[in-house]
């Protein structure tokens, strides 16, 4: 969430991006450290289906943070002067998705399968909305040519990274549902 909020602030401060970009990178490095700790903890357990599911889940969580960091890094390279509304809208969807995942993760193992399924369905709707926003933005800019070719190419890459981040959020929800089903099977 912190990376996403920093990226949102970066969109509003493109004329002075350095502090935001370095703060996002710092948060991403913290995330990498947490992922490494989690993998280390899993190494001490005997391998099971659950361990494999948790490893996949962690990869998707890492992909989310990496996507936000990659967006900031691309902004650092391209130095756009104005934010694109579609990018802000997709980022808002990422934040909504991460917040929903955080609720379910915070309630684990007490969340119900029904709630986790509702989470997955909500994240799928967000992911589809992000796909639509990205597609419509590309279509409108191809037809209207409102940006220079360089700016259009830059924002196409930025929006593509953000849209890919929504995919990672959705895939994390799918894995959380599989983990919940596994836990419930073991309990019965």
């Amino acid at each position: 969430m912190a990376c996403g909020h920093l990226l949102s602030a970066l969109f509003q401060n493109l004329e002075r991006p350095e502090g935001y970009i370095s703060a996002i990178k710092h948060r991403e490095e913290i995330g990498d450290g947490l992922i490494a700790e989690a993998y280390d903890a899993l190494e001490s357990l005997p391998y099971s289906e659950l361990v494999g599911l948790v490893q996949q889940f962690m990869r998707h969580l890492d992909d989310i943070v990496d996507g936000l960091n990659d967006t900031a890094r691309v902004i650092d390279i391209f130095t756009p002067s104005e934010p694109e509304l579609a990018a802000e809208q997709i980022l808002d969807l990422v934040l909504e998705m991460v917040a929903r995942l955080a609720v379910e993760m915070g309630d684990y193992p007490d969340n119900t399968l029904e709630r986790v399924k509702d989470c997955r369905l909500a994240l799928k709707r967000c992911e589809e909305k992000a796909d639509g926003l990205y597609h419509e933005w590309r279509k409108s800019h191809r037809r209207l040519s409102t940006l220079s070719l360089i700016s259009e190419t830059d924002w196409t890459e930025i929006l593509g990274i953000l849209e890919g981040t929504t995919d990672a959020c959705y895939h994390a929800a799918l894995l959380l549902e599989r983990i919940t089903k596994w836990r419930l099977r073991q309990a019965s």
Side-chain angles (χ1 to χ4, degrees):
M1 287 300 293
C3 281
H5 290 300
L6 285 164
L7 187 56
S8 184
L10 171 59
F11 281 158
Q12 302 311 311
N13 295 283
L14 290 172
E15 68 283 349
R16 293 183 317 275
E18 298 82 14
Y20 298 100
I21 293 167
S22 63
I24 291 167
K25 178 63 179 161
H26 176 70
R27 293 287 182 170
E28 187 268 341
E29 289 168 352
I30 292 171
D32 284 347
L34 293 171
I35 292 290
E37 285 180 35
Y39 273 111
D40 288 346
L42 288 173
E43 288 297 318
S44 66
L45 299 175
Y47 189 80
S48 68
E49 181 183 358
L50 178 61
V51 169
L53 291 172
V54 171
Q55 287 173 333
Q56 291 176 52
F57 179 71
M58 290 183 329
R59 274 193 295 275
H60 292 302
L61 294 180
D62 188 48
D63 290 344
I64 295 166
V65 178
D66 286 347
L68 296 170
N69 182 54
D70 290 347
T71 303
R73 308 284 271 177
V74 169
I75 288 171
D76 189 32
I77 293 166
F78 295 151
T79 64
S81 58
E82 295 290 323
E84 278 294 313
L85 178 60
E88 293 174 300
Q89 291 170 325
I90 294 173
L91 177 57
D92 287 345
L93 289 168
V94 170
L95 287 169
E96 180 181 333
M97 295 170 89
V98 169
R100 181 70 190 264
L101 270 173
V103 167
E104 292 305 322
M105 290 167 57
D107 288 346
Y108 188 84
D110 297 325
N111 42 4
T112 64
L113 183 57
E114 181 178 315
R115 253 192 40 211
V116 174
K117 282 183 180 183
D118 287 344
C119 173
R120 176 186 45 85
L121 292 171
L123 269 60
K124 181 62 177 171
R125 286 189 297 273
C126 288
E127 187 269 334
E128 289 171 346
K129 190 172 183 178
D131 286 345
L133 285 166
Y134 179 63
H135 177 75
E136 285 304 312
W137 183 88
R138 295 224 37 217
K139 187 168 71 171
S140 69
H141 281 278
R142 288 283 177 192
R143 293 183 179 158
L144 302 176
S145 298
T146 58
L147 294 172
S148 71
L149 184 57
I150 292 173
S151 291
E152 182 179 330
T153 302
D154 295 350
W155 279 108
T156 298
E157 185 167 343
I158 292 166
L159 269 76
I161 294 168
L162 286 169
E163 192 284 320
T165 305
T166 66
D167 294 343
C169 292
Y170 173 64
H171 290 124
L174 284 171
L175 263 298
L176 185 58
E177 183 177 6
R178 288 183 64 196
I179 290 167
T180 302
K181 286 179 180 178
W182 184 92
R183 176 183 49 83
L184 293 172
R185 269 196 325 266
Q186 298 306 307
S188 60

